[in-house]
Amino acid sequence: MATAAMVLISAVSPAHAQTVAVIVNGEPITNMDIEQRMKLNALSGAKENSRQSVLDDLINEKVKIKEGKKFSVDPGPSEVDGSYANMASRMRLTPDQLTQSLASKGIRPNTLKSRLKADMVWNAIVRGRFKQSLQVGEKEVEAAVQGQGGDATAEAFEYQMRPLVLIVPRGAGGGLAEARHKEAMALRERIQSCDDAIRTFKSTQNATVKGIVVKSSADLPPNLRDMLDKTPIGHLTSPEVTAQGIEMVALCSRKPTKVDTPKKREVREKMFAEKFDAKSKSYLADVRKAAMIEYR
């Protein structure tokens, strides 16, 4: 009996998977779509992964895509593939490796790409349609910083830097990397100005000088800000091993600025996210009410 039951289940499963669960504005959502999304959510560690919550997400994505088309916001395959590649890069994978990783869990790449496309569409629409109401004023930011006990007038810096690289070819032995690291340390002791750094690296074999980079305190993580604040103007930061070789940064200038500070940037981004989330939810609720949703 048990064997017969298993045969019956396996015979029914493919048809069940393709059964339409809901039709949204004429677009079907199948049981396969739901099962695939549940697998993706499980892989990403989603807190809520019930069938109903997943179905709600898929319905929302259908109405988002349709709303996007009303405003000619419809990313093509190349744009979606670009977003997929960016996600893979953040995970330190190639797109093919991400696809293989998903496949190992029984997940089709289009399951993730569909979600990415809906997110792209919705972000573009909400930001475009409600740009004015989403703006965060400087007085709002300063009041919020002060309300948290911070100093809205705290000083920050604008850094001008030149990245410098002593090239170590890929596949070179550890001996070359070690030698170039010693060379970098010697140059760090000798160089006293940005111009000196540029001249030296341009005349050094297998070395390169990258274009000038300008960043504010708010643009940089705390550890990098601390390193730059401790580096004298015209000197080099400690050498680091990168994909290209041994890399350092020449600090060309460090100017005080009150345009933005790390705290103000943090508060501003949080306030924007809160406004965006509230507007997104209310807009989605209105769009969903107008949608034709037929449960099967």
Side-chain angles (χ1 to χ4, degrees):
M1 289 294 291
T3 303
M6 289 301 295
V7 171
L8 181 59
I9 290 171
S10 64
V12 171
S13 292
H16 170 74
Q18 293 304 319
T19 301
V20 174
V22 183
I23 295 179
V24 183
N25 296 322
E27 294 283 335
I29 296 174
T30 67
N31 285 305
M32 173 69 81
D33 295 329
I34 298 169
E35 290 162 9
Q36 282 280 299
R37 182 57 63 86
M38 291 179 77
K39 288 181 181 180
L40 180 62
N41 285 355
L43 182 63
S44 60
K47 292 181 180 179
E48 181 59 61
N49 197 26
S50 68
R51 179 181 172 84
Q52 186 57 52
S53 68
V54 167
L55 184 54
D56 282 338
D57 287 343
L58 292 171
I59 291 171
N60 289 341
E61 289 172 13
K62 291 289 186 187
V63 300
K64 287 175 180 179
I65 294 295
K66 182 178 180 184
E67 187 73 0
K69 289 178 180 178
K70 281 173 54 178
F71 297 97
S72 299
V73 180
D74 187 17
S78 61
E79 292 176 88
V80 176
D81 286 345
S83 180
Y84 186 82
N86 287 338
M87 174 171 279
S89 178
R90 291 193 295 272
M91 298 168 68
R92 298 186 177 182
L93 300 172
T94 65
D96 285 344
Q97 287 172 332
L98 176 54
T99 297
Q100 290 167 11
S101 176
L102 292 173
S104 70
K105 303 295 182 181
I107 304 168
R108 299 172 302 182
N110 281 342
T111 298
L112 175 55
K113 289 182 181 182
S114 294
R115 190 184 73 185
L116 291 174
K117 179 175 180 177
D119 289 343
M120 292 167 67
V121 167
W122 198 243
N123 283 334
I125 296 175
V126 175
R127 286 173 181 270
R129 292 202 66 196
F130 307 104
K131 182 177 180 180
Q132 290 298 118
S133 63
L134 292 175
Q135 289 183 351
V136 179
E138 197 60 25
K139 289 184 178 179
E140 290 181 85
V141 174
E142 291 178 0
V145 170
Q146 291 170 357
Q148 295 177 18
D151 182 2
T153 63
E155 188 174 73
F157 295 97
E158 179 186 87
Y159 308 91
Q160 288 193 3
M161 302 163 281
R162 292 297 292 260
L164 311 163
V165 184
L166 294 176
I167 298 169
V168 177
R170 185 167 301 205
L176 177 59
E178 185 178 350
R180 299 240 75 178
H181 191 277
K182 288 180 179 178
E183 184 181 357
M185 293 298 292
L187 290 172
R188 189 174 183 232
E189 289 293 323
R190 197 177 83 209
I191 289 172
Q192 302 291 314
S193 73
C194 235
D195 288 342
D196 188 15
I198 293 168
R199 282 194 302 270
T200 300
F201 271 72
K202 283 186 175 179
S203 62
T204 299
Q205 189 174 10
N206 293 324
T208 185
V209 179
K210 296 184 180 180
I212 195 161
V213 175
V214 180
K215 296 285 185 181
S216 74
S217 296
D219 297 324
L220 303 172
N223 61 328
L224 186 52
R225 286 201 307 269
D226 185 59
M227 180 178 67
L228 290 173
D229 288 340
K230 290 178 179 177
T231 301
I233 303 299
H235 288 242
L236 310 184
T237 59
S238 299
E240 294 184 2
V241 178
T242 69
Q244 289 185 291
I246 309 299
E247 188 162 350
M248 296 178 286
V249 170
L251 180 61
C252 300
S253 73
R254 180 176 53 232
K255 299 176 183 177
T257 177
K258 291 184 179 179
V259 173
D260 213 356
T261 67
K263 185 62 178 178
K264 286 170 70 175
R265 174 72 64 86
E266 175 192 335
V267 168
R268 184 182 296 107
E269 289 178 350
K270 182 180 179 182
M271 293 177 73
F272 177 86
E274 289 171 349
K275 286 188 175 187
F276 182 92
D277 188 54
K279 182 60 70 177
S280 174
K281 286 179 178 177
S282 64
Y283 183 25
L284 180 58
D286 290 341
V287 173
R288 183 159 169 160
K289 283 177 186 176
M292 296 288 292
I293 304 172
E294 180 186 349
Y295 291 86
R296 292 298 180 93

